[in-house]
Amino acid sequence: MWSDKLKLNKQLVRSVTDAGYLTPKEIQAKSLSRIIGGQDMIGIGPEGCGKTTTYILGVLMRLKYGVEEAPRALILVPDKERVLAVTEQFELLNKNDTIRVVSLYAAPGIEAQMNALADGADIVVATPDRARAIYLKLGLNLNKIIIFIVDDADAIVKQGLQLPVNELANSITKCQHLVFTEVLHGKLEHMIDPFMNAPAIIEIDDLGEAKAEILDQVLYHVPNFRTKINLLNLLMQDEEVFTQTLVFVNTRLTAEKILNSFTHSLKKQAAILNPLFFESPGFENITDFKEQTDKRILIIANELQGFLDVSDVPFMIHLELPDEKETFIERIIKRQDEQETIAITFATDIELGTVKKIEHSIGHKIPVDELPENLVVANEEKETAKKKVTPKPDTEMRGEAFHEKKESNKKDYNFSAGTKAKMNKKKKHG
């Protein structure tokens, strides 16, 4: 029960039970005492695990009543839809009429939101850019903030909203910081490290039940798109292993760019499914590609509509993840009597959230393999162009791809043992 395990007050116990939450979820059982105690914390878990309810209960327990002239809790979320959803959840669980919640998001007439703040607010739920804009107009008083929360933090990073988050955090003298996310990666750590104070990390790894048998999977965690291209070129040089490969990107324009990025010898062995330009080598359907022997690489745009029969091709590489995770899942489900296929995914930091959603949907972890030792790792910023990419020593437990190479992996592409065995089998019998 809520009162026995988490010591919620009677009013909140009544609110959560009336809302249908009869017992705490795992993240609430592990986090609420830390939040109520004032500790900085990072909560990591899949969508639906209870992250939002966790911090809402924590905020309501800490605020208790509303008497201050300025907000005491600031909650940042990625977009208007999330602002409204979090505000609605506060209205569902907050039975204390003295605690006032104000929503801030991009909308015509910023003055109306500033007036709402002036009328009194205890909790502000906002997008980072709108909160910053109103703060700069002196409409958002941060002097009384005791809890600063960043929710869906990975989505905030994906949208490039790190600067307003940092500016708002730096404008608060002292408070508790809470960050909730589906995945913790380097870009997100870079955003939150300046303001987090020795945070506890609570991770919920609930994959759910496996819903179907899937193809063998390999995940490469790479720093940027340029490195993806370098990795693709490197892998495709092995003609004995990669006898036929489908390469998925998001648009036909990107497909053309990938084709043109290949070395001269590789370009002669590659084609595009329904190419954008007339002069580009291509096929009208996958069946024609499977039945011929001149081309061994087919680049396919995710934007193409309709069912694609990707069966019986030895390798499938997702250079870019499709917008809809269902598209990816459809491709990796194993069909009866299907030839063994290895599905390889390249993912940057901002794509790891999508990977997590896929893992949660299929009920399987996608194994992370080390990057090849001879891969050229491109750097996005000029000032770090000559620096070698090295990992943080404490990030290996989260599946970081850039950890020290094992001796046994020095002379290969660093696939896992099971994957290597399947590849060797393809060499002999393919």
Side-chain angles (χ1 to χ4, degrees):
M1 296 293 292
W2 290 95
S3 55
D4 297 335
K5 295 182 179 180
L6 302 173
K7 300 187 182 339
L8 295 185
N9 61 45
K10 292 181 179 180
Q11 189 177 52
L12 275 179
V13 171
R14 189 162 51 250
S15 296
V16 292
T17 53
D18 288 348
Y21 308 129
L22 302 182
T23 57
K25 291 189 175 183
E26 183 181 356
I27 193 168
Q28 291 147 9
K30 292 182 175 180
S31 302
L32 271 172
S33 60
R34 296 178 183 273
I35 297 173
I36 295 169
Q39 183 179 9
D40 278 18
M41 193 195 80
I42 301 172
I44 308 168
E47 184 180 358
C49 75
K51 299 189 294 292
T52 302
T53 303
T54 299
Y55 69 73
I56 288 177
L57 292 174
V59 168
L60 294 176
M61 278 292 290
R62 289 209 61 193
L63 266 56
K64 295 181 181 177
Y65 47 81
V67 295
E68 297 287 352
E69 69 276 10
R72 286 172 290 158
L74 175 60
I75 302 166
L76 301 180
V77 296
D79 50 43
K80 174 183 176 181
E81 288 71 24
R82 280 296 293 155
V83 170
L84 297 177
V86 172
T87 302
E88 182 180 353
Q89 188 75 348
F90 264 112
E91 293 172 353
L92 178 67
L93 298 177
N94 175 33
K95 304 302 182 184
N96 187 339
D97 293 336
T98 66
I99 294 180
R100 302 149 297 177
V101 182
V102 170
S103 306
L104 306 178
Y105 50 84
I110 194 171
E111 294 80 8
Q113 294 178 358
M114 294 178 67
N115 290 338
L117 288 171
D119 290 340
D122 300 288
I123 302 165
V124 174
V125 184
T127 57
D129 46 355
R130 178 48 66 105
R132 176 180 177 270
I134 293 181
Y135 172 72
L136 293 176
K137 289 179 175 289
L138 306 181
L140 176 59
N141 185 347
L142 301 179
N143 293 332
K144 298 289 185 178
I145 295 292
I146 63 171
I147 309 176
F148 177 80
I149 300 172
V150 184
D151 191 15
D152 286 335
D154 51 324
I156 286 176
V157 171
K158 193 172 184 178
Q159 293 179 5
L161 295 171
Q162 297 97 313
L163 180 60
V165 171
N166 283 121
E167 288 187 356
L168 291 165
N170 292 335
S171 301
I172 302 170
T173 306
K174 185 179 180 181
C175 73
Q176 177 185 19
H177 303 93
L178 306 175
V179 172
F180 291 88
T181 180
E182 290 194 19
V183 62
L184 184 62
H185 52 63
K187 289 183 184 294
L188 176 51
E189 289 177 327
H190 183 72
M191 179 181 77
I192 66 178
D193 278 350
F195 59 80
M196 298 297 284
N197 180 25
I201 298 179
I202 307 297
E203 185 164 9
I204 307 302
D205 197 10
D206 178 18
L207 289 178
E209 296 183 6
K211 298 176 177 62
E213 189 177 2
I214 61 171
L215 302 175
D216 293 298
Q217 302 285 305
V218 175
L219 174 66
Y220 282 120
H221 180 190
V222 296
N224 48 53
F225 188 77
R226 183 68 243 178
T227 305
K228 287 185 178 184
I229 295 176
N230 293 346
L231 179 57
L232 180 64
N233 271 271
L234 183 61
L235 295 181
M236 292 301 100
Q237 287 173 15
D238 194 332
E239 298 183 26
E240 292 185 21
V241 170
F242 293 94
T243 53
Q244 273 196 328
T245 304
L246 304 179
V247 179
F248 289 97
V249 296
N250 280 335
T251 67
R252 288 197 292 169
L253 183 59
T254 304
E256 298 284 351
K257 291 179 180 178
I258 297 303
L259 179 68
N260 291 325
S261 76
F262 283 148
T263 61
H264 179 70
S265 59
L266 282 181
K267 193 172 183 179
K268 291 191 296 184
Q269 303 174 62
I272 299 173
L273 183 65
N274 295 313
L276 187 62
F277 302 123
F278 178 76
E279 63 272 15
S280 298
F283 292 94
E284 292 185 0
N285 57 71
I286 294 181
T287 302
D288 290 345
F289 169 73
K290 294 177 184 178
E291 294 174 350
Q292 55 77 54
T293 56
D294 292 337
K295 306 289 186 182
R296 63 184 180 91
I297 305 166
L298 182 63
I299 308 170
I300 304 173
N302 290 320
E303 67 182 1
L304 294 172
Q305 299 298 314
F307 173 75
L308 297 175
D309 180 10
V310 298
S311 62
D312 299 326
V313 177
F315 292 93
M316 177 195 311
I317 296 178
H318 280 91
L319 192 81
E320 293 182 303
L321 289 168
D323 292 333
E324 301 294 333
K325 70 179 188 295
E326 290 77 14
T327 302
F328 180 95
I329 294 169
E330 173 70 21
R331 291 172 187 160
I332 64 170
I333 292 176
K334 187 180 291 185
R335 274 83 178 176
Q336 288 184 337
D337 302 324
E338 184 176 358
Q339 176 184 327
E340 286 292 330
T341 299
I342 296 176
I344 303 172
T345 301
F346 299 173
T348 60
D349 278 354
I350 61 174
E351 291 170 312
L352 289 180
T354 303
V355 172
K356 283 287 184 184
K357 286 182 171 65
I358 290 169
E359 290 176 335
H360 187 251
S361 295
I362 63 178
H364 294 276
K365 277 276 191 184
I366 301 178
V368 179
D369 263 9
E370 297 177 359
L371 294 175
E373 188 180 57
N374 52 341
L375 172 66
V376 176
V377 177
N379 288 282
E380 297 173 292
E381 300 179 9
K382 291 182 180 179
E383 59 267 26
T384 61
K386 295 183 180 181
K387 292 183 181 179
K388 183 179 179 181
V389 176
T390 55
K392 292 186 177 181
D394 60 346
T395 57
E396 186 172 347
M397 66 178 182
R398 289 188 288 273
E400 175 61 70
F402 306 117
H403 49 79
E404 175 124 6
K405 306 289 187 297
K406 297 178 182 177
E407 263 326 297
S408 60
N409 290 333
K410 297 270 185 175
K411 296 181 180 179
D412 209 335
Y413 290 107
N414 300 319
F415 287 105
S416 62
T419 305
K420 287 177 184 175
K422 291 184 176 65
M423 287 183 171
N424 290 332
K425 185 177 180 181
K426 289 180 188 298
K427 285 184 180 180
K428 296 175 183 177
H429 304 291

mmCIF file of all heavy atoms in Angstrom, residues 12 21 23 87 121 132 215 236 269 372 387 408:
data_model
loop_
_atom_site.group_PDB
_atom_site.id
_atom_site.type_symbol
_atom_site.label_atom_id
_atom_site.label_comp_id
_atom_site.label_asym_id
_atom_site.label_seq_id
_atom_site.Cartn_x
_atom_site.Cartn_y
_atom_site.Cartn_z
ATOM 1 N N LEU A 12 -2.962 12.394 -0.392
ATOM 2 C CA LEU A 12 -2.364 11.852 -1.607
ATOM 3 C C LEU A 12 -2.698 10.377 -1.789
ATOM 4 O O LEU A 12 -2.908 9.911 -2.917
ATOM 5 C CB LEU A 12 -0.844 12.048 -1.581
ATOM 6 C CG LEU A 12 -0.329 13.401 -2.078
ATOM 7 C CD1 LEU A 12 1.188 13.467 -1.986
ATOM 8 C CD2 LEU A 12 -0.777 13.672 -3.506
ATOM 9 N N TYR A 21 -4.457 3.942 -9.135
ATOM 10 C CA TYR A 21 -3.122 3.436 -8.832
ATOM 11 C C TYR A 21 -3.159 2.791 -7.444
ATOM 12 O O TYR A 21 -2.961 3.450 -6.428
ATOM 13 C CB TYR A 21 -2.087 4.563 -8.868
ATOM 14 C CG TYR A 21 -2.101 5.377 -10.134
ATOM 15 C CD1 TYR A 21 -2.163 6.771 -10.101
ATOM 16 C CD2 TYR A 21 -2.055 4.759 -11.388
ATOM 17 C CE1 TYR A 21 -2.162 7.520 -11.261
ATOM 18 C CE2 TYR A 21 -2.064 5.497 -12.553
ATOM 19 C CZ TYR A 21 -2.114 6.886 -12.482
ATOM 20 O OH TYR A 21 -2.126 7.623 -13.638
ATOM 21 N N THR A 23 -1.244 0.243 -6.102
ATOM 22 C CA THR A 23 0.052 -0.021 -5.479
ATOM 23 C C THR A 23 1.150 0.716 -6.241
ATOM 24 O O THR A 23 0.998 0.995 -7.440
ATOM 25 C CB THR A 23 0.382 -1.529 -5.481
ATOM 26 O OG1 THR A 23 0.353 -2.017 -6.831
ATOM 27 C CG2 THR A 23 -0.622 -2.311 -4.638
ATOM 28 N N THR A 87 0.249 18.679 -16.801
ATOM 29 C CA THR A 87 -0.685 19.544 -16.068
ATOM 30 C C THR A 87 -1.966 18.795 -15.725
ATOM 31 O O THR A 87 -2.494 18.897 -14.609
ATOM 32 C CB THR A 87 -1.012 20.799 -16.899
ATOM 33 O OG1 THR A 87 0.208 21.491 -17.202
ATOM 34 C CG2 THR A 87 -1.927 21.731 -16.130
ATOM 35 N N ALA A 121 1.510 31.227 -8.744
ATOM 36 C CA ALA A 121 1.800 29.863 -9.196
ATOM 37 C C ALA A 121 2.746 29.204 -8.208
ATOM 38 O O ALA A 121 3.716 29.824 -7.758
ATOM 39 C CB ALA A 121 2.425 29.868 -10.586
ATOM 40 N N ARG A 132 12.246 30.055 -20.665
ATOM 41 C CA ARG A 132 13.382 30.982 -20.766
ATOM 42 C C ARG A 132 12.935 32.339 -21.287
ATOM 43 O O ARG A 132 13.366 33.389 -20.782
ATOM 44 C CB ARG A 132 14.441 30.389 -21.696
ATOM 45 C CG ARG A 132 15.632 31.307 -21.970
ATOM 46 C CD ARG A 132 16.627 30.616 -22.896
ATOM 47 N NE ARG A 132 17.744 31.473 -23.236
ATOM 48 C CZ ARG A 132 17.781 32.287 -24.280
ATOM 49 N NH1 ARG A 132 16.719 32.362 -25.094
ATOM 50 N NH2 ARG A 132 18.832 33.029 -24.524
ATOM 51 N N LEU A 215 15.049 -11.722 -35.641
ATOM 52 C CA LEU A 215 16.337 -12.014 -36.257
ATOM 53 C C LEU A 215 17.467 -11.716 -35.280
ATOM 54 O O LEU A 215 17.297 -10.970 -34.314
ATOM 55 C CB LEU A 215 16.515 -11.161 -37.518
ATOM 56 C CG LEU A 215 15.457 -11.298 -38.618
ATOM 57 C CD1 LEU A 215 15.726 -10.289 -39.726
ATOM 58 C CD2 LEU A 215 15.437 -12.718 -39.181
ATOM 59 N N MET A 236 31.415 -2.956 -45.558
ATOM 60 C CA MET A 236 31.101 -3.413 -46.910
ATOM 61 C C MET A 236 32.336 -3.823 -47.709
ATOM 62 O O MET A 236 32.212 -4.454 -48.767
ATOM 63 C CB MET A 236 30.330 -2.330 -47.673
ATOM 64 C CG MET A 236 28.922 -2.066 -47.153
ATOM 65 S SD MET A 236 27.854 -3.531 -47.197
ATOM 66 C CE MET A 236 27.942 -4.062 -45.488
ATOM 67 N N GLN A 269 29.273 -1.858 -56.916
ATOM 68 C CA GLN A 269 28.551 -3.021 -56.399
ATOM 69 C C GLN A 269 27.261 -2.649 -55.673
ATOM 70 O O GLN A 269 26.630 -3.502 -55.059
ATOM 71 C CB GLN A 269 29.456 -3.798 -55.432
ATOM 72 C CG GLN A 269 30.767 -4.239 -56.052
ATOM 73 C CD GLN A 269 31.692 -4.861 -55.024
ATOM 74 O OE1 GLN A 269 31.361 -5.887 -54.419
ATOM 75 N NE2 GLN A 269 32.840 -4.260 -54.806
ATOM 76 N N PRO A 372 34.805 -1.399 -34.772
ATOM 77 C CA PRO A 372 36.062 -1.912 -35.311
ATOM 78 C C PRO A 372 37.231 -1.018 -34.939
ATOM 79 O O PRO A 372 37.114 0.213 -34.929
ATOM 80 C CB PRO A 372 35.822 -1.904 -36.831
ATOM 81 C CG PRO A 372 34.343 -1.970 -36.981
ATOM 82 C CD PRO A 372 33.787 -1.214 -35.820
ATOM 83 N N LYS A 387 41.265 15.238 -31.534
ATOM 84 C CA LYS A 387 41.238 14.482 -30.288
ATOM 85 C C LYS A 387 40.721 13.071 -30.541
ATOM 86 O O LYS A 387 39.791 12.863 -31.306
ATOM 87 C CB LYS A 387 40.350 15.174 -29.249
ATOM 88 C CG LYS A 387 40.925 16.502 -28.773
ATOM 89 C CD LYS A 387 40.022 17.097 -27.702
ATOM 90 C CE LYS A 387 40.566 18.429 -27.221
ATOM 91 N NZ LYS A 387 39.688 19.035 -26.195
ATOM 92 N N SER A 408 41.034 -10.695 -28.173
ATOM 93 C CA SER A 408 40.450 -11.610 -29.150
ATOM 94 C C SER A 408 39.727 -10.880 -30.278
ATOM 95 O O SER A 408 39.410 -11.460 -31.288
ATOM 96 C CB SER A 408 39.470 -12.559 -28.460
ATOM 97 O OG SER A 408 38.430 -11.813 -27.852
#
